[in-house]
Amino acid sequence: MGVADLGLPVDVPSTALFTDHYELTMLQAALRSGTAGRRSVFEVFTRRLPDGRRYGVVGGTGRVLDAVENFRFDADVLRFLRERRVVDEPTLEWLAGYRFGGDIWGYPEGEVYFPGSPIMRVEGSFGECVLLETVILSILNHDSAIAAAASRMSSAAQGRPLIEMGARRTHELAAVAASRAAYLGGFNSTSDLAAGFRYNIPTVGTSAHAFTLLHDSERDAFQAQVDSLGRDTTLLVDTYDVAEAVRAAVEIAGPELGSVRIDSGDLLLVAHRVRQQLDELGARDTRIIVTSDLDEYAIASLAAAPVDAYGVGTQLVTGSGHPTASMVYKLVARAGSGDAGAPLVPVAKKSTGGKTSVGGRKWAARRLDAYGVAEAEVVGTGPVPDALAGRQLLVELVKGGEVVAREPLDAARERHAAARANLPLSATQLSRGEPVLPTEYVHRGSGS
């Protein structure tokens, strides 16, 4: 299934330069030494979750598949590398024919993860795998951070709709990726038309304070909006006096008024007052939408308020204080020679300061307790224990260079809801704490 099969209207351009300079110089040296063709296994994982977080969310897998599929060194890219003398001519010739021909396994998008989880495993020759490090990490680190923040916010919202509206708070392309990750994490719609166009996410929006200020009076602005968009529109009622605005809104639109939006002030207090006023005016079905620098804590504090939906911007697209998932891409095994049948040898960096890694090609499974609730993330090398064979987490994403697991975004969104629901109840607590599941390591051979 290709991008066109999913109805995505925008093609992904070449991603070959979404890499670091030293990936290419390593490749050149490996080609010269004869080691570039050695079978290698790289893994993506994080050593720790952001402080206080109970779980992570895998986001961006679908975008990684697009990026790998479009990692091509065309004539313009090769000309740039030649002019800058980044690598020599033999390396440029090798890059001209580059196509990733290996295998990629990973946690399916929307799944939760924990410290040490082998979120993605990339296998192939050293040369073809090492080039993908930066683009894979840039996508997974960004999208997983946003998806985790969105998941916490959607849990705090307790079923009330969430609108992603952070496009103006981040880079214009990052905004599209953030909207995708937010939808994956439980948001219902976006204000970003580019995200709606590319990923078929529902888009919403009506007016800002500028529209009210444009008119000679607030009533004129409301009348113009209702005349144009209908009575089911959302009127912004905090430009001047909220009580006067609510009264004017109902007088103009009638009890069929769709929603009012509050964007400032003590949201808890104002929401209660507005709800009472709307009910007294007969607009009992008019919804209340709140915005104004919300995060998961602010959303949770409004749980008892008569609020029908939340709009979130800055805190969402910046990961609610943690804009990266701190994932790394490490070589964990490589063949002892260039022979096709050479066995894998586990490798790992020895380091102080917490930058250690565990060698070997890994599998992962989630063990459940007697009630069917997840109780541990089990990561191992070698044969998978029979008791965990049916609980393995990694799925095949790319086989022999061909994408085999592309899926609609809604599938990943549904998977995340199910995965989060399978965690212990403490997973959704906003108070600081350790990861809700411990990571256990099982070593049974080299994992070759």
Side-chain angles (χ1 to χ4, degrees):
M1 180 181 290
V3 173
D5 297 321
L6 293 178
L8 305 181
V10 179
D11 291 330
V12 177
S14 170
T15 53
L17 290 183
F18 292 166
T19 191
D20 285 304
H21 186 117
Y22 78 171
E23 312 291 5
L24 298 187
T25 53
M26 280 193 287
L27 170 65
Q28 175 179 309
L31 287 170
R32 182 169 296 184
S33 71
T35 55
R38 285 189 177 185
R39 179 185 172 205
S40 299
V41 180
F42 287 81
E43 287 178 353
V44 176
F45 63 93
T46 185
R47 298 183 177 95
R48 65 190 64 84
L49 297 180
D51 186 33
R53 297 287 174 89
R54 306 297 181 93
Y55 62 92
V57 180
V58 179
T61 307
R63 297 207 307 121
V64 166
L65 299 180
D66 290 343
V68 171
E69 201 169 49
N70 290 279
F71 204 92
R72 304 283 188 270
F73 291 84
D74 58 27
D76 289 338
V77 170
L78 292 170
R79 186 180 306 111
F80 165 79
L81 296 175
R82 181 177 290 110
E83 291 173 352
R84 296 294 181 94
R85 300 190 179 187
V86 175
V87 290
D88 59 18
E89 283 300 323
T91 305
L92 289 172
E93 292 176 10
W94 190 93
L95 292 173
Y98 179 87
R99 299 291 186 275
F100 179 73
D103 302 329
I104 299 179
W105 290 70
Y107 280 38
E109 190 161 19
E111 184 58 84
V112 296
Y113 70 86
F114 300 90
S117 296
I119 296 161
M120 186 168 286
R121 189 175 72 220
V122 182
E123 304 184 38
S125 70
F126 177 83
E128 64 184 335
C129 295
V130 74
L131 296 182
L132 300 178
E133 175 179 2
T134 303
V135 70
I136 287 176
L137 287 181
S138 66
I139 293 172
L140 292 181
N141 269 315
H142 174 269
D143 289 24
S144 296
I146 306 306
S151 178
R152 285 163 61 86
M153 292 175 188
S154 66
S155 177
Q158 299 180 10
R160 293 171 175 172
L162 289 158
I163 306 164
E164 184 279 312
M165 47 197 305
R168 64 192 63 191
R169 300 293 190 233
T170 189
H171 185 278
E172 66 272 17
L173 298 182
V176 181
S179 180
R180 181 186 184 278
Y183 187 71
L184 161 69
F187 273 60
N188 304 86
S189 57
T190 179
S191 66
D192 189 351
L193 288 175
F197 178 67
R198 177 162 179 78
Y199 296 116
N200 200 32
I201 300 169
T203 60
V204 297
T206 49
S207 68
H209 293 102
F211 185 77
T212 301
L213 296 171
L214 168 69
H215 291 80
D216 294 335
S217 71
E218 192 169 49
R219 294 184 67 91
D220 289 347
F222 288 173
Q223 188 67 62
Q225 185 173 325
V226 170
D227 288 346
S228 175
L229 302 178
R231 296 176 185 273
D232 194 42
T233 190
T234 298
L235 296 177
L236 182 58
V237 295
D238 73 330
T239 306
Y240 303 118
D241 180 271
V242 173
E244 288 297 324
V246 170
R247 183 177 297 106
V250 175
E251 287 178 0
I252 291 168
E256 298 84 10
L257 174 62
S259 307
V260 295
R261 179 162 74 95
I262 308 166
D263 188 52
S264 59
D266 183 335
L267 296 179
L268 178 62
L269 176 63
V270 175
H272 276 287
R273 288 178 174 173
V274 168
R275 180 74 272 159
Q276 180 180 354
Q277 186 180 10
L278 287 170
D279 291 348
E280 291 173 350
L281 293 171
R284 295 184 177 276
D285 294 327
T286 298
R287 300 175 297 275
I288 297 176
I289 300 172
V290 295
T291 53
S292 185
D293 292 326
L294 298 177
D295 61 10
E296 61 266 48
Y297 300 99
I299 291 170
S301 73
L302 292 167
V307 172
D308 298 284
Y310 306 94
V312 189
T314 303
Q315 292 301 318
L316 176 63
V317 298
T318 57
S320 194
H322 298 285
T324 177
S326 298
M327 295 177 186
V328 294
Y329 182 96
K330 296 298 181 183
L331 181 66
V332 297
R334 50 87 175 166
S337 71
D339 295 340
L344 289 174
V345 178
V347 295
K349 174 184 176 182
K350 290 184 178 179
S351 177
T352 58
K355 285 195 170 184
T356 58
S357 58
V358 179
R361 180 180 185 272
K362 300 175 196 67
W363 49 263
R366 191 161 297 147
R367 191 174 68 238
L368 307 182
D369 65 15
Y371 300 96
V373 178
E375 67 175 6
E377 192 88 339
V378 185
V379 177
T381 58
V384 181
D386 292 341
L388 295 174
R391 300 296 308 170
Q392 293 190 70
L393 292 164
L394 279 81
V395 300
E396 195 168 32
L397 302 171
V398 176
K399 183 177 183 179
E402 297 295 324
V403 174
V404 297
R406 189 172 273 115
E407 62 183 1
L409 182 57
D410 279 327
R413 173 184 166 88
E414 292 168 6
R415 179 181 297 116
H416 174 63
R420 189 177 67 187
N422 193 236
L423 296 176
L425 289 175
S426 57
T428 56
Q429 291 179 347
L430 296 181
S431 57
R432 292 186 178 277
E434 297 299 314
V436 72
L437 296 187
T439 303
E440 300 177 359
Y441 290 95
V442 177
H443 300 291
R444 307 175 70 189
S446 64
S448 61

